[in-house]
Amino acid sequence: MKRTISLLILSFLFLYSAVLALDTMPNFTLEDINGDQIDSDELLSKKAVIVDFWAKWCGPCKKALPHLSDLQEKYKDLVDVVCISTDKARDGDKAKSFVKSRNFKFITLFDPNKDVCKLFNVNTIPRTFIINENGEIVYRHEGYTQGDEHELETELRKVIYKDITISELNELFQPEELPEPINYMSPVYPEKAYDDKVEADIILDLEVMEDGTVGQIVLISSCKDTTYSFEKAAIEAVQEWIFEPVIVDEEPVKARLLYPIRFRIEKQ
């Protein structure tokens, strides 16, 4: 009986340790596409890391890779995208040729023995993780279907712009570069906010559609208010805004932008 209980306890501890391992990026060293050894600690120098497991034989994996390369190029100063090939050693050259022929921008590593797969508890591919600058796994996704890249980018932006201040936002994106809404609706705040002379800064991640209407709205940084409902009021107002369409090569395109909303009582 004691032996059975001991085995059960050991099994529980093993499973518990495996679950805990998924909370943070494990330590590992793998070879990159140039034959250099890359240590996992080297990947935590920016705001976030995307780690994606793939293989040359995996159709959905190959469909996802161009989008991952686009994210690396778009957020290169804030993010490292790391795509780890799980192809066997004998297929490694094919995987390298595939990556080089597409001129992908991400970091390519090779895990032929699936040692790192095991550390991440990856059993199926593609499997994608977002890891913050503290090494914490904050998002995970299995598989790929068209459109998944939009969810991935949304989750990534939550991480890299988390708690950004308006002054920091103005350094990244000059205020004059932000498109102005052509029909602006002010958020409706409660009278108590005016009576208490509250000040609040809210930053929203907006999706501006091709026709200028607002699509997805994600709260990036807020005053974390539980009394005045600033966030709710701001989102409800912004949903009604219409912008001048963003034009690229003379065609309207869908665009993502961080938009600040400031609540201030004018001094009399």
Side-chain angles (χ1 to χ4, degrees):
M1 182 65 178
K2 289 183 179 179
R3 178 180 173 81
T4 302
I5 293 173
S6 297
L7 288 173
L8 286 172
I9 292 173
L10 287 172
S11 297
F12 173 80
L13 290 174
F14 176 80
L15 291 172
Y16 183 68
S17 299
V19 170
L20 285 181
L22 284 179
D23 292 338
T24 58
M25 183 169 73
N27 295 322
F28 62 85
T29 302
L30 288 176
E31 185 175 292
D32 72 3
I33 200 165
N34 299 313
D36 298 322
Q37 296 295 309
I38 303 297
D39 189 83
S40 54
D41 288 342
E42 300 175 42
L43 305 174
L44 295 175
S45 61
K46 298 181 181 178
K47 290 287 186 180
V49 183
I50 296 177
V51 175
D52 180 79
F53 291 88
W54 69 286
K56 175 69 169 58
W57 54 263
C58 170
C61 299
K62 292 190 289 186
K63 289 180 180 178
L65 292 180
H67 301 296
L68 292 165
S69 182
D70 290 343
L71 288 177
Q72 177 66 89
E73 195 162 19
K74 185 174 181 180
Y75 300 103
K76 58 186 176 182
D77 295 329
L78 300 169
V79 177
D80 274 329
V81 179
V82 181
C83 294
I84 300 179
S85 165
T86 62
D87 290 286
K88 295 179 180 178
R90 64 173 180 269
D91 298 319
D93 288 341
K94 293 179 182 178
K96 289 179 183 179
S97 296
F98 176 77
V99 171
K100 289 180 177 179
S101 67
R102 267 77 176 172
N103 195 30
F104 289 143
K105 305 301 181 184
F106 48 67
I107 298 169
T108 303
L109 303 180
F110 295 88
D111 185 25
N113 298 321
K114 297 185 173 57
D115 294 329
V116 178
C117 273
K118 293 171 185 174
L119 291 176
F120 277 87
N121 288 343
V122 171
N123 298 311
T124 59
I125 55 172
R127 189 77 183 275
T128 310
F129 301 85
I130 297 178
I131 299 152
N132 66 20
E133 59 190 336
N134 298 319
E136 300 164 331
I137 296 175
V138 295
Y139 173 80
R140 48 178 61 80
H141 183 77
E142 186 174 307
Y144 174 78
T145 56
Q146 187 174 359
D148 284 351
E149 63 272 15
H150 302 305
E151 177 186 321
L152 179 63
E153 184 174 8
T154 296
E155 296 300 324
L156 176 65
R157 288 168 71 91
K158 287 181 186 178
V159 176
I160 62 179
Y161 296 129
K162 182 179 183 294
D163 295 330
I164 188 173
T165 65
I166 287 182
S167 59
E168 290 170 336
L169 171 60
N170 290 341
E171 290 179 8
L172 283 175
F173 308 100
Q174 297 302 311
E176 60 270 17
E177 295 176 359
L178 291 175
E180 290 285 341
I182 57 179
N183 75 320
Y184 175 84
M185 177 180 292
S186 297
V188 179
Y189 301 117
E191 287 298 324
K192 183 174 173 54
Y194 294 91
D195 295 339
D196 294 349
K197 296 184 178 180
V198 175
E199 296 185 351
D201 291 337
I202 299 169
I203 298 176
L204 301 176
D205 188 11
L206 308 184
E207 182 180 49
V208 179
M209 311 304 286
E210 291 88 343
D211 61 359
T213 58
V214 174
Q216 184 185 51
I217 303 174
V218 177
L219 185 67
I220 290 293
S221 183
S222 75
C223 54
K224 296 180 174 59
D225 135 67
T226 58
T227 302
Y228 304 97
S229 301
F230 286 113
E231 295 92 340
K232 182 174 182 291
I235 289 173
E236 288 177 350
V238 171
Q239 285 172 335
E240 304 301 321
W241 290 5
I242 297 178
F243 291 83
E244 286 284 355
V246 177
I247 305 298
V248 176
D249 295 332
E250 301 183 354
E251 292 290 333
V253 297
K254 186 187 298 184
R256 296 283 294 270
L257 58 101
L258 297 183
Y259 206 95
I261 297 178
R262 311 196 74 173
F263 177 80
R264 296 289 186 272
I265 300 295
E266 295 293 333
K267 293 183 178 180
Q268 300 297 324

